[in-house]
Amino acid sequence: MDLQTLLKVAHVVGAAVLLGTGAGIAFFMLMAHRARDPALIAHTASIVVLADTVFTASAVVLQPMTGAALAHLAGYPLLSGWIGLSLVLYVVTGLCWLPVVWIQLRLRDLARQAVATGAPLPGQYFRLFRLWFLLGFPAFAAVLGIVWLMVAKPNL
């Protein structure tokens, strides 16, 4: 297997990891939230934080590296056209993802505290969950846009 093919495979797998982990995390967090069970939420949020650390963070680091190498090999300029737009969308995704990671940690901690004290989930939990949920829309849309740009390679 040549270098370009290896980079393409790594880049596509990275995109799949970003898209799949994001969708999976959103699904499991939403299902746990709907149950309103602090113990279930605390457990699910703990797994979500781990998944974000292991899978999402790894892909976040590798995607621009493999993408830049592929662009270089193909002779595409990095900061213009569809690649430039995909980088803008990548930044948008990151600007949504970073607070989401912090929110997931807080949701986990608030749920753990509710379990430890036998109290219901506090109002702060529900406010943070709404923000977490809302930040997911632009992040997910941006990742879908990046995948589309990567596949279609429109002449911009």
Side-chain angles (χ1 to χ4, degrees):
M1 183 179 313
D2 67 348
L3 178 61
Q4 188 169 18
T5 302
L6 183 63
L7 287 168
K8 278 184 185 180
V9 169
H11 199 66
V12 169
V13 168
V17 167
L18 285 174
L19 194 59
T21 303
I25 282 171
F27 176 77
F28 288 112
M29 281 294 289
L30 180 61
M31 292 299 104
H33 171 76
R34 289 183 52 170
R36 299 291 198 262
D37 177 355
L40 177 62
I41 292 166
H43 178 72
T44 302
S46 294
I47 293 170
V48 160
V49 167
L50 178 62
D52 251 350
T53 302
V54 172
F55 299 110
T56 309
S58 299
V60 162
V61 170
L62 292 175
Q63 278 306 98
M65 292 167 52
T66 57
L70 283 167
H72 175 73
L73 289 173
Y76 288 123
L78 274 181
L79 300 177
S80 63
W82 66 270
I83 295 176
L85 180 54
S86 70
L87 290 172
V88 169
L89 292 174
Y90 197 74
V91 169
V92 167
T93 303
L95 290 174
C96 293
W97 179 66
L98 289 173
V100 158
V101 172
W102 177 83
I103 291 168
Q104 288 167 178
L105 289 166
R106 287 294 300 138
L107 294 174
R108 179 200 64 194
D109 294 346
L110 289 167
R112 283 178 177 172
Q113 185 177 17
V115 170
T117 62
L121 292 164
Q124 183 186 16
Y125 167 87
F126 293 98
R127 286 188 298 277
L128 284 171
F129 186 86
R130 279 191 297 276
L131 181 58
W132 177 87
F133 189 79
L134 290 173
L135 285 168
F137 285 100
F140 197 72
V143 171
L144 286 177
I146 293 166
V147 170
W148 180 83
L149 288 166
M150 185 174 72
V151 172
K153 295 178 180 61
N155 196 9
L156 301 176

mmCIF file of all heavy atoms in Angstrom, residues 44-70:
data_model
loop_
_atom_site.group_PDB
_atom_site.id
_atom_site.type_symbol
_atom_site.label_atom_id
_atom_site.label_comp_id
_atom_site.label_asym_id
_atom_site.label_seq_id
_atom_site.Cartn_x
_atom_site.Cartn_y
_atom_site.Cartn_z
ATOM 1 N N THR A 44 -23.339 6.914 32.431
ATOM 2 C CA THR A 44 -23.272 7.181 30.997
ATOM 3 C C THR A 44 -22.320 8.331 30.703
ATOM 4 O O THR A 44 -21.497 8.244 29.783
ATOM 5 C CB THR A 44 -24.678 7.495 30.441
ATOM 6 O OG1 THR A 44 -25.538 6.383 30.714
ATOM 7 C CG2 THR A 44 -24.647 7.754 28.947
ATOM 8 N N ALA A 45 -22.410 9.392 31.477
ATOM 9 C CA ALA A 45 -21.522 10.545 31.262
ATOM 10 C C ALA A 45 -20.061 10.160 31.482
ATOM 11 O O ALA A 45 -19.174 10.657 30.783
ATOM 12 C CB ALA A 45 -21.929 11.708 32.159
ATOM 13 N N SER A 46 -19.797 9.265 32.418
ATOM 14 C CA SER A 46 -18.422 8.797 32.636
ATOM 15 C C SER A 46 -17.892 8.078 31.403
ATOM 16 O O SER A 46 -16.749 8.284 30.983
ATOM 17 C CB SER A 46 -18.360 7.859 33.841
ATOM 18 O OG SER A 46 -18.654 8.551 35.018
ATOM 19 N N ILE A 47 -18.720 7.235 30.808
ATOM 20 C CA ILE A 47 -18.318 6.516 29.593
ATOM 21 C C ILE A 47 -18.161 7.478 28.427
ATOM 22 O O ILE A 47 -17.226 7.360 27.627
ATOM 23 C CB ILE A 47 -19.339 5.405 29.276
ATOM 24 C CG1 ILE A 47 -19.272 4.327 30.357
ATOM 25 C CG2 ILE A 47 -19.084 4.796 27.895
ATOM 26 C CD1 ILE A 47 -20.379 3.306 30.297
ATOM 27 N N VAL A 48 -19.042 8.457 28.337
ATOM 28 C CA VAL A 48 -18.986 9.453 27.269
ATOM 29 C C VAL A 48 -17.690 10.255 27.356
ATOM 30 O O VAL A 48 -17.020 10.497 26.345
ATOM 31 C CB VAL A 48 -20.235 10.362 27.338
ATOM 32 C CG1 VAL A 48 -20.027 11.663 26.615
ATOM 33 C CG2 VAL A 48 -21.449 9.616 26.791
ATOM 34 N N VAL A 49 -17.325 10.659 28.561
ATOM 35 C CA VAL A 49 -16.074 11.412 28.748
ATOM 36 C C VAL A 49 -14.881 10.551 28.323
ATOM 37 O O VAL A 49 -13.967 11.029 27.639
ATOM 38 C CB VAL A 49 -15.939 11.894 30.206
ATOM 39 C CG1 VAL A 49 -14.538 12.387 30.504
ATOM 40 C CG2 VAL A 49 -16.975 12.985 30.500
ATOM 41 N N LEU A 50 -14.906 9.285 28.681
ATOM 42 C CA LEU A 50 -13.832 8.374 28.278
ATOM 43 C C LEU A 50 -13.789 8.213 26.757
ATOM 44 O O LEU A 50 -12.714 8.280 26.145
ATOM 45 C CB LEU A 50 -14.011 7.015 28.965
ATOM 46 C CG LEU A 50 -12.993 5.941 28.611
ATOM 47 C CD1 LEU A 50 -11.583 6.369 29.009
ATOM 48 C CD2 LEU A 50 -13.378 4.619 29.277
ATOM 49 N N ALA A 51 -14.953 8.022 26.136
ATOM 50 C CA ALA A 51 -15.009 7.877 24.678
ATOM 51 C C ALA A 51 -14.508 9.131 23.981
ATOM 52 O O ALA A 51 -13.773 9.044 22.982
ATOM 53 C CB ALA A 51 -16.442 7.558 24.233
ATOM 54 N N ASP A 52 -14.889 10.291 24.490
ATOM 55 C CA ASP A 52 -14.401 11.547 23.902
ATOM 56 C C ASP A 52 -12.888 11.659 24.028
ATOM 57 O O ASP A 52 -12.208 12.112 23.116
ATOM 58 C CB ASP A 52 -15.065 12.754 24.574
ATOM 59 C CG ASP A 52 -16.048 13.453 23.661
ATOM 60 O OD1 ASP A 52 -16.087 13.138 22.456
ATOM 61 O OD2 ASP A 52 -16.775 14.328 24.151
ATOM 62 N N THR A 53 -12.353 11.210 25.155
ATOM 63 C CA THR A 53 -10.914 11.280 25.384
ATOM 64 C C THR A 53 -10.161 10.319 24.464
ATOM 65 O O THR A 53 -9.184 10.699 23.818
ATOM 66 C CB THR A 53 -10.585 10.959 26.857
ATOM 67 O OG1 THR A 53 -11.278 11.887 27.686
ATOM 68 C CG2 THR A 53 -9.098 11.033 27.124
ATOM 69 N N VAL A 54 -10.631 9.089 24.385
ATOM 70 C CA VAL A 54 -9.917 8.064 23.618
ATOM 71 C C VAL A 54 -10.141 8.227 22.113
ATOM 72 O O VAL A 54 -9.179 8.254 21.337
ATOM 73 C CB VAL A 54 -10.356 6.651 24.068
ATOM 74 C CG1 VAL A 54 -9.769 5.576 23.164
ATOM 75 C CG2 VAL A 54 -9.959 6.412 25.514
ATOM 76 N N PHE A 55 -11.391 8.340 21.692
ATOM 77 C CA PHE A 55 -11.696 8.320 20.261
ATOM 78 C C PHE A 55 -11.716 9.705 19.628
ATOM 79 O O PHE A 55 -11.005 9.966 18.665
ATOM 80 C CB PHE A 55 -13.027 7.601 20.013
ATOM 81 C CG PHE A 55 -13.016 6.176 20.458
ATOM 82 C CD1 PHE A 55 -13.755 5.765 21.550
ATOM 83 C CD2 PHE A 55 -12.256 5.232 19.790
ATOM 84 C CE1 PHE A 55 -13.736 4.449 21.977
ATOM 85 C CE2 PHE A 55 -12.227 3.907 20.206
ATOM 86 C CZ PHE A 55 -12.977 3.514 21.307
ATOM 87 N N THR A 56 -12.555 10.583 20.161
ATOM 88 C CA THR A 56 -12.707 11.891 19.536
ATOM 89 C C THR A 56 -11.411 12.683 19.572
ATOM 90 O O THR A 56 -10.983 13.226 18.546
ATOM 91 C CB THR A 56 -13.842 12.689 20.224
ATOM 92 O OG1 THR A 56 -15.014 11.881 20.282
ATOM 93 C CG2 THR A 56 -14.144 13.956 19.450
ATOM 94 N N ALA A 57 -10.786 12.753 20.719
ATOM 95 C CA ALA A 57 -9.544 13.541 20.821
ATOM 96 C C ALA A 57 -8.460 13.000 19.901
ATOM 97 O O ALA A 57 -7.734 13.774 19.270
ATOM 98 C CB ALA A 57 -9.057 13.579 22.267
ATOM 99 N N SER A 58 -8.351 11.679 19.791
ATOM 100 C CA SER A 58 -7.360 11.093 18.874
ATOM 101 C C SER A 58 -7.645 11.487 17.435
ATOM 102 O O SER A 58 -6.738 11.871 16.691
ATOM 103 C CB SER A 58 -7.362 9.566 18.999
ATOM 104 O OG SER A 58 -7.022 9.176 20.300
ATOM 105 N N ALA A 59 -8.906 11.380 17.034
ATOM 106 C CA ALA A 59 -9.274 11.739 15.663
ATOM 107 C C ALA A 59 -9.094 13.232 15.423
ATOM 108 O O ALA A 59 -8.662 13.640 14.334
ATOM 109 C CB ALA A 59 -10.718 11.317 15.381
ATOM 110 N N VAL A 60 -9.390 14.045 16.422
ATOM 111 C CA VAL A 60 -9.230 15.497 16.295
ATOM 112 C C VAL A 60 -7.774 15.849 15.995
ATOM 113 O O VAL A 60 -7.488 16.750 15.204
ATOM 114 C CB VAL A 60 -9.728 16.218 17.574
ATOM 115 C CG1 VAL A 60 -9.202 17.631 17.680
ATOM 116 C CG2 VAL A 60 -11.245 16.209 17.615
ATOM 117 N N VAL A 61 -6.855 15.125 16.604
ATOM 118 C CA VAL A 61 -5.427 15.382 16.375
ATOM 119 C C VAL A 61 -4.988 14.843 15.013
ATOM 120 O O VAL A 61 -4.260 15.513 14.270
ATOM 121 C CB VAL A 61 -4.581 14.754 17.514
ATOM 122 C CG1 VAL A 61 -3.105 14.779 17.183
ATOM 123 C CG2 VAL A 61 -4.854 15.481 18.823
ATOM 124 N N LEU A 62 -5.432 13.638 14.673
ATOM 125 C CA LEU A 62 -4.955 13.001 13.444
ATOM 126 C C LEU A 62 -5.591 13.551 12.165
ATOM 127 O O LEU A 62 -4.937 13.554 11.115
ATOM 128 C CB LEU A 62 -5.166 11.488 13.525
ATOM 129 C CG LEU A 62 -4.284 10.782 14.555
ATOM 130 C CD1 LEU A 62 -4.650 9.303 14.653
ATOM 131 C CD2 LEU A 62 -2.808 10.937 14.211
ATOM 132 N N GLN A 63 -6.839 13.996 12.229
ATOM 133 C CA GLN A 63 -7.528 14.466 11.016
ATOM 134 C C GLN A 63 -6.774 15.584 10.292
ATOM 135 O O GLN A 63 -6.564 15.495 9.085
ATOM 136 C CB GLN A 63 -8.956 14.901 11.329
ATOM 137 C CG GLN A 63 -9.952 13.782 11.395
ATOM 138 C CD GLN A 63 -9.972 12.911 10.175
ATOM 139 O OE1 GLN A 63 -9.361 11.853 10.149
ATOM 140 N NE2 GLN A 63 -10.649 13.335 9.149
ATOM 141 N N PRO A 64 -6.399 16.657 10.969
ATOM 142 C CA PRO A 64 -5.698 17.709 10.227
ATOM 143 C C PRO A 64 -4.328 17.252 9.721
ATOM 144 O O PRO A 64 -3.873 17.706 8.667
ATOM 145 C CB PRO A 64 -5.568 18.860 11.224
ATOM 146 C CG PRO A 64 -5.910 18.305 12.545
ATOM 147 C CD PRO A 64 -6.676 17.045 12.345
ATOM 148 N N MET A 65 -3.696 16.341 10.443
ATOM 149 C CA MET A 65 -2.390 15.856 9.997
ATOM 150 C C MET A 65 -2.521 15.033 8.712
ATOM 151 O O MET A 65 -1.782 15.258 7.739
ATOM 152 C CB MET A 65 -1.729 15.027 11.108
ATOM 153 C CG MET A 65 -1.346 15.870 12.312
ATOM 154 S SD MET A 65 -0.891 14.940 13.799
ATOM 155 C CE MET A 65 0.338 13.821 13.199
ATOM 156 N N THR A 66 -3.465 14.093 8.698
ATOM 157 C CA THR A 66 -3.644 13.281 7.494
ATOM 158 C C THR A 66 -4.206 14.120 6.352
ATOM 159 O O THR A 66 -3.813 13.947 5.200
ATOM 160 C CB THR A 66 -4.557 12.063 7.760
ATOM 161 O OG1 THR A 66 -5.815 12.508 8.269
ATOM 162 C CG2 THR A 66 -3.910 11.099 8.741
ATOM 163 N N GLY A 67 -5.096 15.055 6.680
ATOM 164 C CA GLY A 67 -5.663 15.930 5.640
ATOM 165 C C GLY A 67 -4.612 16.823 5.006
ATOM 166 O O GLY A 67 -4.575 16.979 3.786
ATOM 167 N N ALA A 68 -3.748 17.399 5.821
ATOM 168 C CA ALA A 68 -2.682 18.254 5.285
ATOM 169 C C ALA A 68 -1.723 17.446 4.425
ATOM 170 O O ALA A 68 -1.300 17.900 3.352
ATOM 171 C CB ALA A 68 -1.925 18.936 6.430
ATOM 172 N N ALA A 69 -1.384 16.250 4.865
ATOM 173 C CA ALA A 69 -0.484 15.396 4.069
ATOM 174 C C ALA A 69 -1.128 15.016 2.744
ATOM 175 O O ALA A 69 -0.470 15.051 1.692
ATOM 176 C CB ALA A 69 -0.107 14.149 4.866
ATOM 177 N N LEU A 70 -2.416 14.682 2.765
ATOM 178 C CA LEU A 70 -3.113 14.345 1.518
ATOM 179 C C LEU A 70 -3.194 15.543 0.580
ATOM 180 O O LEU A 70 -2.991 15.403 -0.630
ATOM 181 C CB LEU A 70 -4.527 13.822 1.826
ATOM 182 C CG LEU A 70 -4.612 12.402 2.329
ATOM 183 C CD1 LEU A 70 -6.003 12.117 2.898
ATOM 184 C CD2 LEU A 70 -4.274 11.417 1.212
#
